[in-house]
Amino acid sequence: MDIKRPKCIKKVTVAENDFVRINMYILRFSDGNEGSHVKVTHQNSGGIVLILINENKEIYLHYAYHYAANVTQLEFIRGFSDANETSVESVKRELSEEILYGYRIIREPLLVGKIYPDSTILGNSAKIYLMEIEAGDKLKERKDRTEALGDGKFYSVEDFEELICKGEITDGFTLASYSLLKTNKMLTNHRELMT
């Protein structure tokens, strides 16, 4: 594909905290025109999404409220990696913080792939993992109480896909991750999930 990349003329940091940096870029395109672009970059190694299944091959979802969009969505466990933390360590930490069940790990996290949630404005990708647990009793509260998380439970593949069809799952991370899982040929150990 013959796309000439624009040249950066100027970069200005607009805002920055422990989690993200927001930069404004003035770019010159190959035809001489100039335009401005905003780029948000995570201050760590990016995000993770966890497709969590139990011993019955049911898929875990929970409700989460996101302030930026002012929406509550049914979604997979997801989050950002901390500094000096591998993505597998991030997956296990996010699981321990956000799940509403006791659990024992049956299969370690398996990398499914990665997605770019919004390549127009976000400078990072999110790694997608599949992990199997044996679910115990439902907990009264989560370890992490700094997020607005609601009820969580396991759904059969049929119920999960029906939620998608009814428009009850609208989270882009969840939809893209599940699509990647369904089409990824490396998941030979989890074929029974796909039937």
Side-chain angles (χ1 to χ4, degrees), residues 9-174:
I9 300 169
K10 184 177 182 182
K11 174 180 119 176
V12 177
T13 299
V14 177
E16 183 175 17
N17 64 18
D18 290 343
F19 302 103
V20 296
R21 176 183 298 126
I22 303 171
N23 289 326
M24 174 71 77
Y25 294 85
I26 306 300
L27 303 178
R28 180 172 292 128
F29 294 88
S30 60
D31 63 1
N33 284 318
E34 292 182 8
S36 62
H37 285 262
V38 173
K39 180 178 175 183
V40 179
T41 308
H42 301 132
Q43 298 281 49
N44 49 40
S45 59
I48 58 92
V49 179
L50 174 58
I51 304 170
L52 183 66
I53 61 173
N54 65 12
E55 65 275 19
N56 299 320
K57 309 306 178 205
E58 297 169 319
I59 303 167
Y60 184 79
L61 294 168
H62 64 201
Y63 286 96
Y65 170 76
H66 297 289
Y67 186 81
N70 190 28
V71 295
T72 298
Q73 296 178 296
L74 195 55
E75 62 188 38
F76 291 144
I77 291 172
R78 59 184 171 95
F80 295 115
S81 295
D82 288 341
N84 301 318
E85 184 179 56
T86 68
S87 55
V88 169
E89 290 168 339
S90 302
V91 165
K92 290 182 175 181
R93 177 182 49 74
E94 290 289 344
L95 171 63
S96 73
E97 292 174 354
E98 296 189 4
I99 192 167
L100 256 181
Y101 290 83
Y103 65 91
R104 179 181 67 81
I105 296 173
I106 295 174
R107 292 190 193 177
E108 291 292 318
L110 173 67
L111 181 64
V112 175
K114 71 178 178 179
I115 59 172
Y116 291 85
D118 183 353
S119 57
T120 301
I121 194 168
L122 297 178
N124 297 86
S125 61
K127 291 183 179 175
I128 314 306
Y129 285 88
L130 175 67
M131 184 176 189
E132 187 174 353
I133 64 165
E134 179 183 330
D137 294 334
K138 198 159 188 180
L139 306 173
K140 293 186 188 218
E141 63 181 33
R142 291 175 174 84
K143 181 178 176 183
D144 183 355
R145 302 205 322 235
T146 62
E147 294 187 62
L149 301 175
D151 194 25
K153 71 177 202 173
F154 289 92
Y155 295 84
S156 69
V157 172
E158 294 79 17
D159 289 344
F160 180 90
E161 291 183 351
E162 188 174 334
L163 289 167
I164 294 173
C165 290
K166 289 181 176 178
E168 294 182 35
I169 298 176
T170 58
D171 174 57
F173 285 96
T174 300

